[in-house]
Amino acid sequence: MRTWFEPEEAEEFEATKDLLIRRCVTWAKEHGHPADDLLLSAAVDARHESRDGRLAYWDRTRIRFFLLRYVPYKVTASREELDLAPEVLRTYLRYLDVTGLRDPRGATLAEAEEIIAGAQAEYASALDDPTLRGLATFWAHTALDQGFDLTVPGAFERFKRELDAGRVPYDQQVLDKIMQNRLVYGGIDEERAFPQPPVSLPPASELAEAAGRSRTVQRLITLADWVGKDGRALTDAGNLRVADALEVSALLGTGEDQLRIRSATDLPQLNLLLAWARKLRLTRTSKGRLLRVAKAVPLLRDPETLWGRAFEVLPELGRVVTVPVATWRPEPILAEIFDEILPDVLNSMYGLDEMPVVRLEETVWLACQEYVVLDEEEHRLDLLRREVARDLGRMFEILSDLGAVELTHGPADPLYASDLDHDDQPLPPDAVERLRAALSESDLPLVRLTPLGVRGVRDRLLAEGRDAPLVGELATAPPAELLGVLAQHYPPEDAVAELQGWLARPGQDVEMLVRAVRDCPFRTRVGAMLRVLAGALPERRLLQDLRHDPILGPAVWTQLIDAGKMRPGSLSERENLLLGAENFLSVLELAGPEGLVEQLRRMGGGDADEFLEAILASGHPDVVGLRELHELVAEPLRRTARHPLRLVPTRPPGARGRRKKRKR
């Protein structure tokens, strides 16, 4: 079973959601926990509709968002039912935990339960505030309050007629507030972000040392020390005096102290550092003086934290990073959208080696044209493009001084020219031609993120609610949760590195991983976990060793047959039935009962009832799956079939192509 789907994989997601809810409700009844289909569905939807889409990832932010924003905004039900949401969420998270579906990078079960308990009072207040509802939820609640059961066919149409006729009372002030919130803040929907590749980082001590060596960090500390507790006098215009500006420039080593200037504003590097220090609250102005902020002293003594904060606020400094040169356009284009462009550029570099700067210049210029309407003559557009390229270069120099990127020269990797002839190439023809010429050169400016830069970008991605795997972060994860994450979110080579790191920990071995696969209650997830193990441990011949495992045998045979390493004819009659059951149970999970029923109806030959009975009596270890196969597939087929369904297996059970493959 997968717990992550692309937004367009609607059918696959719905089948998995139905399976999750069905199994969770059954488990909850068996263990005496509260469950509710509507609220469970909302919990699954909330995570699927999120920026990262991980159904089994829950942390403090996601738990509180679901209870305090998502349910009030989107869920329509009686107050009695809505009051159950915290306990139903607790049940769902317990189910994810006991089945090994939980994403170990989120909160532990104990942490999650504590977060839910802490949010319950706020949750009640959120339900009491009708202005937190979405527009659709407002009208749905209005209909519910007036006695309209919108689940009954035709009820919505009757409600709308009554509303249009003015016979439905509603709170206009609440509606106005909801519309105002929608206009000012938008809704709560999030745009799905691209998944990021796993990255590796050096030890924390090395990163701390690198932050201390950062030229920008050292300059910010020097600047704050120079300002001192007594401060420095400013001109009437609020700038440093020229003599002071040249003095501190010499201390900072910017090279600007030898310039002949009329004003301190003529020193762009000093202006940037002054603006950076103000943004970081290292300095402030008061009564005509530049002062050091007393509360900033602890930050100045912690270079690593100072580096992180400096990296975090840099997108807000576009107007001092860029420098206007054109008198007919005093505001550089990049300054207007710097807070959008800088994160996008860093994201595009994340997880990659050296990138040719010219490639980034073209994509940034394309983005500038999308963000800003440019109605200029052709020669002026070319000047603007060159201005953007210049400011992008200055941005990289600033990032280099900070220690976030490394600038080098050399030939570009052929990868960056390989897509120039693709039909879906987003760049215009003139940009493609410029790139083709530039990328053929042997000495190009190249840029890559340093480890500090990688960590900084990753921290921001995580703060935005995105998935940004880090090799080594699963070293102590429970075996089932480890394999589940590797199967869905890690490329094979990174999965090998993560698994080897896990096995290197004392007390963690392959048998623990195999046991976790045996305990998994979902056949498709068993297959995915086995593939990860077999791919990461080829020397173990794991699948061959597990051919006769009483629990894993059918899943192992499926993979061996699909890989051409086993002949279906080598199986006994009973083993063929077990293999058929494995495939049927996998389809049941992937396509749902209706999908399996429809697939059976399209087949002909062989009595389907008899075949299903044989499958159900096969002794397959998935007892829960067999029970669902009986109740949700076999029984409906018997009740609705007007003619005997006959089944002719066109391929041997388990042969390649029978099962729906999981998108990787």
Side-chain angles (χ1 to χ4, degrees):
M1 175 204 278
R2 295 165 57 192
T3 55
W4 185 87
F5 298 86
E6 295 281 5
E8 59 268 21
E9 294 182 293
E11 292 183 5
E12 295 89 339
F13 165 69
E14 289 297 332
T16 290
K17 182 172 76 168
D18 290 345
L19 175 64
L20 258 178
I21 294 172
R22 184 170 72 241
R23 296 277 183 97
C24 184
V25 168
T26 300
W27 176 84
K29 290 178 180 178
E30 292 172 349
H31 293 82
H33 298 310
D36 179 89
D37 287 32
L38 175 65
L39 295 172
L40 287 171
S41 177
V44 179
D45 285 341
R47 295 301 299 124
H48 177 63
E49 296 166 7
S50 68
R51 194 175 304 280
D52 63 307
R54 291 175 286 173
L55 306 184
Y57 180 87
W58 291 83
D59 61 3
R60 178 181 177 82
T61 301
R62 279 72 179 181
I63 290 170
R64 290 179 58 82
F65 172 80
F66 174 69
L67 292 175
L68 306 182
R69 294 289 288 126
Y70 191 91
V71 173
Y73 190 92
K74 284 205 170 186
V75 182
T76 303
S78 68
R79 179 57 183 262
E80 182 181 9
E81 186 175 5
L82 291 175
D83 283 339
L84 294 174
E87 289 305 313
V88 171
L89 179 60
R90 192 191 306 268
T91 295
Y92 177 55
L93 298 185
R94 286 174 176 172
Y95 179 72
L96 294 179
D97 185 69
V98 300
T99 54
L101 294 176
R102 185 185 73 93
D103 191 316
R105 298 168 293 179
T108 65
L109 179 60
E111 292 168 343
E113 292 186 335
E114 184 177 346
I115 296 165
I116 292 171
Q120 284 190 280
E122 294 175 80
Y123 175 67
S125 299
L127 291 184
D128 290 336
D129 186 353
T131 65
L132 294 179
R133 295 171 180 167
L135 187 59
T137 312
F138 169 81
W139 289 118
H141 273 285
T142 300
L144 190 65
D145 293 342
Q146 296 302 311
F148 290 89
D149 183 355
L150 298 183
T151 63
V152 175
F156 175 76
E157 288 74 15
R158 290 195 300 275
F159 169 71
K160 190 173 185 303
R161 286 196 300 270
E162 292 294 301
L163 180 65
D164 292 341
R167 292 190 290 269
V168 176
Y170 61 89
D171 192 323
Q172 184 64 52
Q173 288 185 331
V174 169
L175 179 60
D176 290 343
K177 181 62 175 176
I178 289 173
M179 294 299 293
Q180 180 183 353
N181 290 342
R182 187 178 183 182
L183 180 65
V184 175
Y185 304 111
I188 64 171
D189 294 331
E190 297 179 335
E191 183 179 356
R192 179 69 67 83
F194 289 110
Q196 295 294 327
V199 296
S200 298
L201 287 175
S205 59
E206 292 185 21
L207 292 171
E209 291 174 4
R213 294 193 302 268
S214 163
R215 182 179 300 170
T216 297
V217 166
Q218 293 173 355
R219 285 173 172 172
L220 287 170
I221 294 172
T222 300
L223 176 62
D225 288 342
W226 177 82
V227 171
K229 63 180 181 179
D230 295 328
R232 300 283 177 164
L234 299 175
T235 66
D236 292 341
N239 303 315
L240 285 175
R241 295 178 300 191
V242 169
D244 285 343
L246 294 175
E247 176 188 329
V248 72
S249 292
L251 283 174
L252 297 174
T254 62
E256 294 178 326
D257 55 298
Q258 301 300 317
L259 299 178
R260 299 181 64 181
I261 59 172
R262 295 183 177 182
S263 166
T265 58
D266 296 333
L267 303 176
Q269 292 194 65
L270 177 59
N271 288 334
L272 171 63
L273 290 167
L274 288 168
W276 220 332
R278 285 193 297 270
K279 183 64 69 173
L280 290 167
R281 297 293 297 157
L282 303 179
T283 62
R284 64 184 179 89
T285 57
S286 177
K287 299 179 180 179
R289 297 187 71 80
L290 178 66
L291 305 171
R292 186 178 65 193
V293 176
K295 292 182 179 180
V297 172
L299 182 60
L300 292 166
R301 293 173 179 170
D302 184 354
E304 187 175 15
T305 301
L306 178 58
W307 190 97
R309 289 283 295 121
F311 182 81
E312 181 183 342
V313 304
L314 181 57
E316 304 172 37
L317 300 175
R319 282 175 170 76
V320 285
V321 169
T322 58
V323 180
V325 293
T327 57
W328 52 274
R329 187 180 177 87
E331 182 80 333
I333 294 178
L334 208 57
E336 300 177 30
I337 55 175
F338 190 77
D339 59 334
E340 298 279 351
I341 290 295
L342 175 56
D344 284 349
V345 168
L346 295 174
N347 288 354
S348 67
M349 297 166 58
Y350 187 77
L352 298 176
D353 289 327
E354 288 103 343
M355 292 187 69
V357 172
V358 66
R359 183 74 195 234
L360 291 167
E361 289 174 357
E362 293 294 350
T363 55
V364 167
W365 173 237
L366 181 64
C368 287
Q369 295 174 80
E370 293 175 352
Y371 277 107
V372 181
V373 177
L374 298 176
D375 186 16
E376 307 283 356
E377 298 176 5
E378 187 64 32
H379 74 282
R380 285 192 169 182
L381 282 176
D382 189 60
L383 287 174
L384 289 175
R385 181 179 62 80
R386 295 175 186 275
E387 175 192 276
V388 167
R390 184 209 64 217
D391 284 335
L392 185 66
R394 175 165 161 76
M395 181 188 82
F396 284 135
E397 291 173 357
I398 292 167
L399 286 166
S400 176
D401 284 344
L402 180 61
V405 305
E406 178 184 354
L407 298 172
T408 58
H409 282 76
D413 190 300
L415 167 72
Y416 295 106
S418 62
D419 65 335
L420 294 181
D421 295 321
H422 290 184
D423 294 336
D424 60 350
Q425 170 59 249
L427 294 171
D430 60 324
V432 170
E433 290 307 312
R434 285 195 298 269
L435 273 177
R436 186 175 283 112
L439 293 174
S440 64
E441 297 180 10
S442 59
D443 190 32
L444 288 172
L446 306 174
V447 62
R448 67 185 298 175
L449 289 172
T450 64
L452 270 177
V454 170
R455 187 180 67 175
V457 175
R458 181 173 182 269
D459 287 345
R460 179 174 48 76
L461 293 172
L462 294 175
E464 293 172 357
R466 298 181 63 171
D467 182 13
L470 176 65
V471 175
E473 67 178 333
L474 301 174
T476 59
E481 299 173 6
L482 164 76
L483 293 174
V485 171
L486 297 184
Q488 292 186 104
H489 302 292
Y490 277 60
E493 62 276 12
D494 294 310
V496 171
E498 190 69 52
L499 196 56
Q500 294 296 342
W502 190 91
L503 289 170
R505 303 277 296 193
Q508 298 180 171
D509 56 31
V510 174
E511 183 52 40
M512 293 176 63
L513 298 169
V514 173
R515 193 181 311 126
V517 182
R518 286 196 190 99
D519 293 340
C520 179
F522 302 100
R523 305 317 300 168
T524 50
R525 196 170 183 88
V526 166
M529 294 162 80
L530 279 175
R531 278 190 290 274
V532 169
L533 269 181
L537 305 170
E539 73 284 355
R540 291 290 299 265
R541 291 173 49 85
L542 189 71
L543 295 181
Q544 295 293 343
D545 293 343
L546 294 173
R547 284 184 60 173
H548 303 294
D549 188 281
I551 304 297
L552 299 178
V556 170
W557 304 334
T558 299
Q559 296 200 18
L560 289 174
I561 291 171
D562 285 351
K565 296 180 179 179
M566 183 177 179
R567 293 182 300 103
S570 65
L571 297 176
S572 67
E573 182 177 350
R574 179 177 179 276
E575 288 172 336
N576 267 302
L577 277 177
L578 289 171
L579 192 58
E582 181 76 17
N583 290 334
F584 272 41
L585 293 170
S586 296
V587 174
L588 179 61
E589 291 181 9
L590 289 168
E594 297 82 2
L596 181 53
V597 167
E598 183 61 29
Q599 183 171 325
L600 287 169
R601 290 182 185 206
R602 290 198 303 264
M603 296 179 180
D607 189 8
D609 283 343
E610 293 181 8
F611 188 81
L612 278 176
E613 285 300 327
I615 290 291
L616 292 170
S618 65
H620 192 284
D622 185 2
V623 176
V624 174
L626 288 178
R627 184 177 68 215
E628 290 187 340
L629 190 62
H630 170 75
E631 296 174 354
L632 304 177
V633 177
E635 288 299 325
L637 277 174
R638 291 195 189 102
R639 289 194 300 267
T640 60
R642 296 181 179 179
H643 304 285
L645 292 175
R646 309 188 69 80
L647 179 65
V648 171
T650 55
R651 299 173 183 261
R656 183 183 300 272
R658 276 296 295 274
R659 296 195 309 145
K660 187 174 183 180
K661 298 295 184 182
R662 186 176 74 82
K663 183 178 179 182
R664 295 302 301 272

